Amino acid sequence: MAEEEYIQQLRSKAAELFLREEWNDSIDVYSNLISHCTHHQQQLSLHHPNHLQKLHKSLCIALCNRAEARSRLRDFHCALQDCDRALQIDASHFKTLLCKGKILLCLNRYSMALECFKAALLDSQAAGNSETLIGYVDKCKKFEFLARTGSLDLSDWVSNGFHGKPPELAEYIGAVEIRKSDISGRGLFATKNIDAGSLILVTRAIVMERSILAGKDLSEDAQLAMWKNFIQKVSEFARKCYKTRDLIGMLSIGEDEEELEIPDIDLFRPENVGNMDSCEMIDMEKLLAILDVNSLTEDAVSANVLRKNNDSYGVGLWLLPSFINHSCCPNSRRLHVGDYLIVHASKDMKAGEEITFAYLDPLSPLSKRREMSMTWGIQCKCKRCRFENEVFAKQEIKEIEIGLERGMDVGGVVYKLEEHMKRLKVRGKEKAYLRASFWSAYCEAYRSDRSMKRWGRRIPAMDAVVDSVVDVVGGDHRLLKIMVEELKKNGGGGSGLVGMEKALKLARDVYGKVVKKQAMKTLVEFCIGD
């Protein structure tokens, strides 16, 4: 009798803490309760079958509530174990099925979550929760379809001016694989031809940390505090989730790249539960190196943030995008929507081609890119860098650089560069490389009425230069911006309609094919308004 009274006291205390959302304390009390219930049921099993049935019910509820508390703390691995123990006692326990379904949904295991919600619908308790359950069922079906097809459409949200919360997204892995890279270590490669704008990946951050800028750059102290919080969050999540810990452990630390294992892409799919018996821990020194090499920020040159708050700065860790190497002629970009990262092709790719981001600004000259590469620890050896390494050594190009630094008229800079390229017989992509490197001069010249009045007939048309640069660096919002500004300046008409179609095509390279035509026009307006 004393044991039963003590169990009742534990049950009341645990329920009180649970209702107050004191998750850690409630877990401790529920753990004590579960231990006593398990021990007590062994004593009752032979002599008190009625009491045993009541005890089983209490144990099932305790396990379910502990699972709920653990899931609130993102300890999904242990929460799922509790759900499975509860379902061993009562396979149709409504609350446990609901709890497990929500946990699986958080882990992006849509099909498994769907089975839990369908089973819960069969319970008599479902009558009072049918609307909620049907909502979960519909969400699982929608997400499973998106995860299978990559049919992402953000049109309504964009057209409504990003009002409300960002739409919920499903993780998606397109036609890609991980292979050894000629650029560095391992890379992500297309396994089939991919059109510009097409979706490659949708993935949620393992951890995301943001800080308020308050209208100015983040101070050094604020950056250190933000980084410390970020590291702590990643460490805690890796400790709680074996699969995440194992996958993080596969990422590069920036050393011995050639010796790294090539993981199977299927390991990164949400339905892969990982090694449940894993016990290998990531030491903090290795974790710090991994985060230093692989963390991504929202303000990168290869990124756009939809519904961006200009007063915030975010850093996160995304697994598969960590395998994407740098190129000064990138072929992909990323969109940030909440904690999700959407990777799309910014120009056409062929099967077998490596997918690349621009870690450094591709619309900057070789000297600036070299300076930035020191920060990243990159030694870029792409075709563009090799070509420019030779050309920028020539006296004519050096003089143009010096003239630009000393405030030479930008129209004259562009004219001289184009003339030197003719004399040096620089053509095709190589001409586009240099135009990209001197993009700031081209951009300023096209925006200056004075320069265009003086040099306009002697320098190439803006749209021809934009097309040339896009061919080597892919879609870039700055190229889109100047194209649309030119359209607005020249007004509508037939040529304006053709120009708008070209602008919308470039917008798909910049933002991806995630919105319909009318919504893309809205996005373009936001681009010009930034």
Side-chain angles (χ1 to χ4, degrees):
M1 185 64 69
E3 181 69 10
E4 289 181 10
E5 288 178 358
Y6 182 62
I7 287 173
Q8 181 57 44
Q9 289 174 6
L10 289 175
R11 188 186 297 121
S12 299
K13 181 64 176 175
E16 179 186 340
L17 292 167
F18 185 86
L19 290 172
R20 293 210 304 253
E21 298 187 359
E22 297 178 19
W23 306 121
N24 282 310
D25 289 340
S26 71
I27 288 169
D28 289 341
V29 179
Y30 273 123
S31 296
N32 195 5
L33 172 60
I34 290 165
S35 178
H36 276 275
C37 284
T38 303
H39 176 73
H40 196 47
Q41 74 176 353
Q42 294 170 355
Q43 297 176 327
L44 294 175
S45 59
L46 294 176
H47 307 293
H48 302 279
N50 291 334
H51 287 181
L52 184 62
Q53 187 176 4
K54 183 179 178 181
L55 194 64
H56 278 169
K57 185 178 179 181
S58 295
L59 183 57
C60 186
I61 293 171
L63 285 164
C64 177
N65 287 347
R66 188 172 72 172
E68 178 71 27
R70 282 173 161 171
S71 72
R72 297 299 184 96
L73 298 175
R74 299 194 74 196
D75 189 356
F76 298 126
H77 174 75
C78 290
L80 283 177
Q81 287 183 329
D82 280 346
C83 287
D84 289 338
R85 280 185 65 186
L87 292 173
Q88 285 177 354
I89 298 169
D90 181 357
S92 61
H93 190 251
F94 175 79
K95 192 176 177 183
T96 302
L97 287 169
L98 185 60
C99 179
K100 185 176 181 180
K102 289 191 291 184
I103 293 168
L104 291 169
L105 195 54
C106 285
L107 293 171
N108 304 308
R109 300 176 195 169
Y110 313 118
S111 298
M112 297 169 71
L114 180 60
E115 293 306 312
C116 288
F117 294 131
K118 282 182 175 179
L121 273 172
L122 300 176
D123 192 276
S124 58
Q125 292 185 53
N129 301 274
S130 60
E131 189 174 336
T132 300
L133 274 172
I134 290 170
Y136 278 126
V137 167
D138 290 343
K139 183 183 289 190
C140 288
K141 288 179 179 178
K142 173 188 171 185
F143 285 178
E144 193 278 329
F145 176 76
L146 290 175
R148 182 165 39 85
T149 63
S151 300
L152 182 62
D153 188 357
L154 304 177
S155 298
D156 290 342
W157 184 56
V158 172
S159 297
N160 290 330
F162 306 122
H163 291 151
K165 291 182 179 180
E168 294 181 291
L169 305 180
E171 294 213 332
Y172 167 76
I173 299 177
V176 295
E177 63 181 357
I178 302 167
R179 286 172 22 197
K180 278 204 173 291
S181 167
D182 291 334
I183 298 174
S184 176
R186 305 161 301 181
L188 204 62
F189 290 78
T191 58
K192 68 176 186 179
N193 294 346
I194 301 176
D195 295 335
S198 296
L199 199 62
I200 296 173
L201 293 173
V202 181
T203 181
R204 187 164 58 184
I206 298 300
V207 166
M208 189 85 195
E209 179 70 9
R210 290 188 177 87
S211 186
I212 303 300
L213 291 174
K216 56 186 177 181
D217 291 338
L218 212 59
S219 69
E220 188 173 333
D221 287 344
Q223 287 183 45
L224 288 173
M226 181 180 176
W227 184 247
K228 183 179 178 182
N229 290 339
F230 177 58
I231 292 168
Q232 184 178 352
K233 286 181 178 180
V234 175
S235 177
E236 288 178 359
F237 193 65
R239 178 175 53 81
K240 293 173 181 176
C241 180
Y242 295 164
K243 177 186 176 182
T244 300
R245 186 179 65 211
D246 289 346
L247 294 178
I248 291 174
M250 293 179 185
L251 301 182
S252 169
I253 61 170
E255 300 174 3
D256 303 320
E257 295 279 343
E258 299 305 316
E259 306 301 319
L260 293 174
E261 178 187 352
I262 309 297
D264 191 314
I265 197 78
D266 286 339
L267 292 174
F268 296 86
R269 299 188 188 279
E271 58 269 24
N272 185 301
V273 297
N275 182 5
M276 302 299 285
D277 298 321
S278 174
C279 58
E280 182 181 348
M281 297 298 293
I282 303 176
D283 64 76
M284 284 305 297
E285 185 177 351
K286 181 179 180 182
L287 181 61
L288 288 172
I290 287 171
L291 294 180
D292 186 47
V293 171
N294 298 282
S295 300
L296 297 174
T297 59
E298 290 180 320
D299 65 344
V301 292
S302 61
N304 290 99
V305 181
L306 296 192
R307 191 178 178 264
K308 181 174 181 179
N309 179 354
N310 291 325
D311 292 332
S312 74
Y313 170 90
V315 61
L317 177 66
W318 292 267
L319 292 171
L320 272 178
S322 297
F323 290 91
I324 299 179
N325 282 311
H326 161 76
S327 173
C328 294
C329 296
N331 56 21
S332 69
R333 289 185 63 84
R334 48 190 170 100
L335 290 180
H336 291 268
V337 178
D339 289 354
Y340 280 85
L341 189 150
I342 302 167
V343 180
H344 68 272
S346 60
K347 54 187 179 184
D348 293 343
M349 294 185 206
K350 293 181 179 179
E353 185 176 344
E354 182 167 3
I355 297 162
T356 54
F357 281 147
Y359 292 4
L360 321 173
D361 187 357
L363 297 183
S364 60
L366 181 64
S367 57
K368 184 66 175 176
R369 299 202 310 275
R370 280 177 175 167
E371 183 184 319
M372 290 186 289
S373 70
M374 298 292 288
T375 305
W376 282 89
I378 294 171
Q379 288 184 328
C380 188
K381 299 176 183 177
C382 68
K383 287 182 180 179
R384 176 182 173 186
C385 285
R386 293 200 302 270
F387 166 74
E388 289 186 347
N389 194 45
E390 295 178 9
V391 171
F392 274 77
K394 296 183 182 295
Q395 187 61 32
E396 301 97 318
I397 304 298
K398 284 182 178 179
E399 288 176 0
I400 292 174
E401 278 194 292
I402 293 169
L404 192 57
E405 289 173 3
R406 291 179 178 176
M408 178 180 173
D409 180 71
V410 285
V413 168
V414 170
Y415 173 74
K416 275 194 169 186
L417 179 62
E418 291 288 335
E419 288 300 304
H420 282 318
M421 286 194 290
K422 286 179 186 176
R423 282 197 290 273
L424 295 170
K425 296 182 179 179
V426 175
R427 299 184 179 89
K429 286 189 183 297
E430 292 177 346
K431 181 184 286 189
Y433 294 157
L434 291 177
R435 285 172 169 174
S437 287
F438 285 94
W439 171 252
S440 61
Y442 282 92
C443 183
E444 194 176 336
Y446 292 133
R447 282 179 171 155
S448 168
D449 291 337
R450 182 179 174 184
S451 281
M452 290 307 292
K453 202 171 201 179
R454 182 178 178 186
W455 300 99
R457 293 185 179 180
R458 291 187 283 176
I459 62 177
M462 182 273 295
D463 58 344
V465 173
V466 168
D467 288 346
S468 173
V469 175
V470 167
D471 187 46
V472 294
V473 304
D476 187 288
H477 64 280
R478 291 164 292 184
L479 303 174
L480 174 63
K481 187 168 186 174
I482 196 169
M483 181 181 281
V484 178
E485 283 176 351
E486 188 71 13
L487 280 171
K488 284 181 174 288
K489 188 191 300 183
N490 295 333
S495 60
L497 292 174
V498 173
M500 180 52 73
E501 285 302 317
K502 286 184 68 175
L504 290 175
K505 181 181 182 302
L506 179 54
R508 285 192 288 274
D509 299 347
V510 175
Y511 295 105
K513 298 176 182 177
V514 295
V515 293
K516 295 184 174 70
K517 188 173 183 178
Q518 191 57 46
M520 185 60 80
K521 288 182 179 179
T522 303
L523 258 184
V524 170
E525 289 297 321
F526 280 121
C527 171
I528 300 308
D530 287 343

